[in-house]
Amino acid sequence: MSDLGSEEGSETGEAAQGIGEYDGDRNSEGQRHGFGKALLPNGDTYEGEYECGLRNGPGTYRFKNGALYTGNYLQNKKHGKGVFFYPDGSKYAGDWVHDQRQGYGEYLYANGDTYTGEWADNKRHGQGTYVYKDTGSKYVGCWVNGIQDGSAELIHLNHRFKGKFFNGKPLGRGKFIFDIGCEQHGEYIQPVQEKEEEEEEEPPLPLEQIWKASEITQLTPWSPYDEEPPASREAAEAAVTEEGEGHEPSSDVLNPADDAEGEGEERREEEVNQDQEDKEITDSDG
């Protein structure tokens, strides 16, 4: 948020120049040391522990724009456990390292989505779960620099996709698992962009990945790392049929194209949240 940078700059300047208002403990050298309350020149306030003139230990910082941080500080920087409430209603609760979201934490977004998992340099990085409030779907798996990347599972209401993601989109071998007791195996393929004879002024948009189904089976422990393909489609269909009529999935249910389109919309929503996070970080440094 816009006042995060002011928080650091104003407080440091106040300690060095004696500006603003302060009510609290000091050491023998006159530095803020122990518990104190400060009103900063820009209208922000801080109440908590100091050490040698710097915020150090537990404290609460209130921004004039309505944001609030309560948690641990180390030499004027958020460090350790802390909760940050943003003016738009979003909230982060978790680990901080030198003013960065880093470690493990939960972010509640303004639209109701949530992310719970690992962070690095203010971005989702490592293992984490992102839940989409509007659909109830959730992505469980790997993240790299804020983007879905690596082995993961995308869980929907009555089916889920297990496979690998690359740069925010599924790519390579995977499978759709349906609650009716069967799976569709296949792979997401990146189409090759056809070159136009005449050069265009703007580069063409990348093509969406295409799902290529290979076979339908009963539920199996197969994963993207398996070298051998799953059981044959004929054997699986026969096994499903033995369970009784009405249990075999219909073509409407096994429609990966529609599922992929829905996944794309959720990824775009997640990217909006990532942009909001980046804006908060950029504004905070201004």
Side-chain angles (χ1 to χ4, degrees), residues 235-258:
E237 289 179 342
V240 172
T241 304
E242 289 177 1
E243 296 180 0
E245 295 182 0
H247 290 277
E248 187 171 356
S250 67
S251 60
D252 292 336
V253 175
L254 299 179
N255 192 343
D258 291 340

Side-chain angles (χ1 to χ4, degrees), residues 12 18 35 39 82 84 108 133 145 162 166 177 184 187 215 224 247:
T12 303
F35 183 82
L39 172 61
F84 202 114
L108 170 63
K133 179 179 180 297
N145 293 324
K162 295 185 71 173
F166 177 74
I177 306 169
Q184 184 185 70
E187 62 179 327
E215 50 213 331
H247 290 277

Side-chain angles (χ1 to χ4, degrees), residues 183-197:
E183 301 174 348
Q184 184 185 70
H185 299 259
E187 62 179 327
Y188 274 102
I189 299 174
Q190 180 65 59
V192 178
Q193 189 81 43
E194 296 182 1
K195 295 183 179 180
E196 300 289 341
E197 295 182 0

Side-chain angles (χ1 to χ4, degrees), residues 4-251:
L4 288 175
S6 302
E7 170 199 355
E8 298 171 12
S10 298
E11 173 61 7
T12 303
E14 179 186 10
Q17 304 175 22
I19 59 176
E21 300 178 11
Y22 175 73
D23 179 18
D25 302 329
R26 295 182 183 272
N27 59 17
S28 58
E29 298 179 358
Q31 296 174 318
R32 300 171 188 180
H33 194 89
F35 183 82
K37 300 178 181 180
L39 172 61
L40 307 186
N42 68 348
D44 295 349
T45 63
Y46 172 76
E47 180 176 345
E49 295 294 325
Y50 284 90
E51 184 175 327
C52 297
L54 301 177
R55 296 187 297 279
N56 210 87
T60 298
Y61 194 106
R62 301 175 186 274
F63 301 83
K64 63 181 180 181
N65 66 356
L68 181 147
Y69 170 79
T70 180
N72 204 65
Y73 279 93
L74 179 64
Q75 297 182 344
N76 261 13
K77 295 185 181 294
K78 295 181 287 294
H79 192 93
K81 300 291 184 181
V83 182
F84 202 114
F85 299 87
Y86 297 95
D88 64 356
S90 58
K91 179 183 77 170
Y92 171 79
D95 298 328
W96 298 81
V97 176
H98 300 301
D99 264 346
Q100 304 288 307
R101 293 189 293 272
Q102 183 147 330
Y104 187 89
E106 179 178 1
Y107 200 114
L108 170 63
Y109 296 89
N111 66 355
D113 292 356
T114 61
Y115 171 79
T116 305
E118 296 175 311
W119 297 77
D121 297 327
N122 268 335
K123 295 182 178 180
R124 297 178 289 273
H125 189 88
Q127 291 291 322
T129 299
Y130 191 103
V131 180
Y132 303 90
K133 179 179 180 297
D134 289 344
T135 63
S137 299
K138 60 182 178 181
Y139 172 94
V140 183
C142 296
W143 300 76
V144 176
N145 293 324
I147 299 175
Q148 299 163 337
D149 199 297
S151 298
E153 187 170 10
L154 189 58
I155 304 171
H156 299 291
L157 180 61
N158 58 6
H159 71 283
R160 61 189 187 273
F161 170 78
K162 295 185 71 173
K164 287 189 174 182
F165 283 70
F166 177 74
N167 199 27
K169 296 181 179 181
L171 188 65
R173 292 182 60 190
K175 63 180 180 180
F176 283 87
I177 306 169
F178 299 90
D179 291 350
I180 56 178
C182 66
E183 301 174 348
Q184 184 185 70
H185 299 259
E187 62 179 327
Y188 274 102
I189 299 174
Q190 180 65 59
V192 178
Q193 189 81 43
E194 296 182 1
K195 295 183 179 180
E196 300 289 341
E197 295 182 0
E198 297 181 0
E199 295 185 0
E200 299 180 357
E201 295 181 0
E202 297 182 0
L205 295 175
L207 298 176
E208 288 292 327
Q209 285 86 342
I210 298 175
W211 172 253
K212 295 290 187 182
S214 59
E215 50 213 331
I216 300 173
T217 73
Q218 285 184 295
L219 299 179
T220 69
W222 177 80
S223 76
Y225 304 104
D226 289 339
E227 295 181 359
E228 296 298 327
S232 68
R233 175 172 181 168
E234 291 77 13
E237 289 179 342
V240 172
T241 304
E242 289 177 1
E243 296 180 0
E245 295 182 0
H247 290 277
E248 187 171 356
S250 67
S251 60

